[in-house]
Amino acid sequence: MPVSLLWFGSASVVSVIANIIAVPIVTLILPVTLLSLMTLLITPWLSVVFSIADVVLTWLLAFLDYLSEQHFAIFEISINTPQSWCILGIAILCFLPHFQCKKFLVILFAIPLFLIQLPYNDKHWQMHVFDAGQASAIAFTKGNRAIVVDSGVRYNGYAKTAEAHLLPLLRANGIQAIDHVFHTHSDIDHAGGLEAVRQSPLATNAVFYSPISGCERGKIIMWQQLSITVLWPREGNKEDSNAQSCVLHISDGHQSVLIAGDIERASEYALVTEHINTAQLRELKADVLVAPHHGSATSSTGAFIKAVAPQAVIYTQGFENRWGFPAKQVVERYSARKVKQYLTSVTGYIRVSFEQSDLTENHETTNISHWSFKIETQRAHMAKRWYILGVFSTSPLKSGFCPNIC
């Protein structure tokens, strides 16, 4: 369990109960049924043993299913690989016999664990895109504040992405408050974690927005020296649907992100047309785009991609989802414009860091501000695993992964 917790970030809470019951039952049934199978031709009446075994195993599997469906069945923590090695090193040192410098080594291994409590540089801001399956969950952090855009799906009353990933990550990053919560629309794959976020102590003073409440074209919210501009839907909208999803443009004045919810072709054309007519096409441009409607063939039109002109696009989609998102033609449209493409089903969690650094030219006192953004993924950068190395070299249309991803 400790190794599972450190290496994979999760461990089973109910496994002890499951094994105490399952192991003795299987240990008893397996040899008896095998022995009965061997003697079945001689003594046909032993077939009743198989009927009894079937009933017992049916009850056992039903009980194990019941245990696994409980929301407390899995314990998860937000911890990265270096922290895991530090904790494992401390545990090993504590069990070793006393030797010289043992205390010094324990303290040395513990230093990185204390350093993670230090506050983040509030000059930098980050976008966190969660691997929420066929759903959407995004957070922005700057300093010790955060905003949330969509909160993932909810199954059987349990919003796993929001409760087990989004909120724990914010706490692990030293976030003290969520100031704004946007749900692009009310579909369960976008707003499934609404109540989980609302009930979090971090969101005590948060303002909540939706297509029919607060999200309206032209609204600008200043947050932590960033501007959050609502581009869609139009003012007075009363429809909470894909076509009327909240479209948000978040910018620091130099770098920007566009989140398009689940809008499709008609809404994209309307957005492009309105920006052309009002001479505000620049508002649509963004360095990073979260693909509309998870990469559906009915979205990401050529006109929209040209207007946004992103350097990178992120698809929030599930592995081998039944809709085949992202669609082949959508992948090809972005590829034609040399846009780097990221799929959460393959990369896992994605972190985009926007940074500003001051460069001194020719050793003079004049400083030049340099802006850049960096995209890191769970499986390629933060937690490399030997058993998934091959996935990054496979065909984009077979694995859902594009070769021009950095």
Side-chain angles (χ1 to χ4, degrees):
M1 185 182 288
V3 173
S4 175
L5 192 62
L6 293 174
W7 199 257
F8 299 103
S10 64
S12 174
V13 175
V14 298
S15 60
V16 175
I17 300 172
N19 281 289
I20 285 175
I21 296 173
V23 171
I25 291 176
V26 174
T27 302
L28 175 65
I29 287 179
L30 187 61
V32 172
T33 50
L34 287 175
L35 184 62
S36 300
L37 182 64
M38 294 169 62
T39 58
L40 196 58
L41 292 175
I42 304 172
T43 52
W45 61 270
L46 283 177
S47 60
V48 69
V49 173
F50 294 99
S51 299
I52 296 171
D54 180 62
V55 171
V56 173
L57 288 176
T58 300
W59 287 348
L60 177 62
L61 290 174
F63 173 71
L64 295 179
D65 283 340
Y66 171 78
L67 284 181
S68 66
E69 289 171 359
Q70 304 308 307
H71 67 85
F72 56 81
I74 298 292
F75 175 71
E76 303 190 51
I77 59 173
S78 297
I79 190 168
N80 58 36
T81 304
Q83 294 169 7
S84 301
W85 282 113
C86 288
I87 294 174
L88 195 58
I90 292 172
I92 292 172
L93 286 170
C94 289
F95 282 102
L96 289 176
H98 179 73
F99 61 91
Q100 191 176 6
C101 299
K102 180 178 178 179
K103 290 182 179 179
F104 171 77
L105 288 175
V106 170
I107 294 172
L108 189 65
F109 274 96
I111 289 175
L113 302 180
F114 289 106
L115 290 179
I116 62 175
Q117 303 300 323
L118 295 176
Y120 282 73
N121 188 339
D122 59 5
K123 289 185 178 180
H124 303 161
W125 57 289
Q126 295 180 324
M127 177 173 72
H128 309 267
V129 183
F130 295 88
D131 179 11
Q134 189 58 40
S136 175
I138 303 167
F140 290 84
T141 57
K142 192 169 189 286
N144 59 7
R145 319 293 290 188
I147 65 174
V148 172
V149 182
D150 290 338
S151 54
V153 74
R154 181 182 69 253
Y155 289 119
N156 299 322
Y158 177 48
K160 180 175 181 178
T161 299
E163 295 184 39
H165 301 289
L166 191 153
L167 293 171
L169 181 135
L170 294 182
R171 288 191 290 267
N173 279 267
I175 298 302
Q176 296 180 7
I178 299 172
D179 296 317
H180 301 281
V181 179
F182 296 86
H183 281 97
T184 55
H185 59 298
S186 61
D187 283 3
I188 196 170
D189 61 326
H190 288 255
L194 171 59
E195 288 307 314
V197 174
R198 193 191 300 276
Q199 293 173 15
S200 169
L202 294 177
T204 302
N205 298 312
V207 181
F208 289 76
Y209 305 85
S210 74
I212 57 175
S213 176
C215 263
E216 55 184 38
R217 179 173 165 73
K219 174 175 283 188
I220 299 177
I221 301 166
M222 297 307 299
W223 176 78
Q224 296 288 91
Q225 297 179 319
L226 302 179
S227 63
I228 306 169
T229 305
V230 181
L231 303 181
W232 195 258
R234 295 184 179 96
E235 187 177 354
N237 171 65
K238 300 297 181 185
E239 182 183 324
D240 193 344
S241 64
N242 285 1
Q244 302 301 327
S245 294
C246 289
V247 177
L248 305 174
H249 186 272
I250 301 173
S251 173
D252 57 17
H254 300 271
Q255 303 164 110
S256 56
V257 174
L258 185 68
I259 300 175
D262 275 358
I263 63 169
E264 297 181 316
R265 187 179 293 111
S267 299
E268 290 181 2
Y269 287 153
L271 265 173
V272 173
T273 302
E274 289 196 14
H275 279 78
I276 291 175
N277 292 340
T278 58
Q280 292 178 327
L281 187 61
R282 185 165 166 255
E283 283 186 14
L284 264 178
K285 292 188 179 298
D287 296 295
V288 181
L289 168 67
V290 177
H293 203 188
H294 315 281
S296 162
T298 58
S299 61
S300 290
T301 58
F304 183 75
I305 296 173
K306 182 179 179 181
V308 178
Q311 296 181 46
V313 62
I314 298 172
Y315 302 100
T316 55
Q317 43 74 249
F319 180 70
E320 293 192 351
N321 60 87
R322 58 180 174 173
W323 299 279
F325 295 162
K328 178 180 177 180
Q329 55 267 49
V330 169
V331 171
E332 291 173 347
R333 283 180 212 141
Y334 285 107
S335 295
R337 299 192 68 87
K338 299 186 179 349
V339 180
K340 293 184 174 71
Q341 303 179 58
Y342 297 80
L343 287 75
T344 54
S345 66
V346 178
T347 64
Y349 158 77
I350 298 172
R351 180 175 64 211
V352 187
S353 302
F354 298 89
E355 302 177 353
Q356 177 189 11
S357 58
D358 294 327
L359 303 178
T360 303
E361 191 176 40
N362 298 327
H363 302 285
E364 296 178 0
T365 56
T366 303
N367 287 338
I368 300 174
S369 292
H370 173 72
W371 297 84
S372 64
F373 70 90
K374 177 174 62 176
I375 298 180
E376 299 170 289
T377 69
Q378 179 73 16
R379 296 183 183 127
H381 304 96
M382 304 173 205
K384 292 182 180 180
R385 302 291 187 234
W386 61 268
Y387 51 82
I388 60 170
L389 293 179
V391 75
F392 296 101
S393 59
T394 56
S395 164
L397 300 181
K398 288 183 179 179
S399 69
F401 200 89
C402 298
N404 60 340
I405 296 177
C406 63

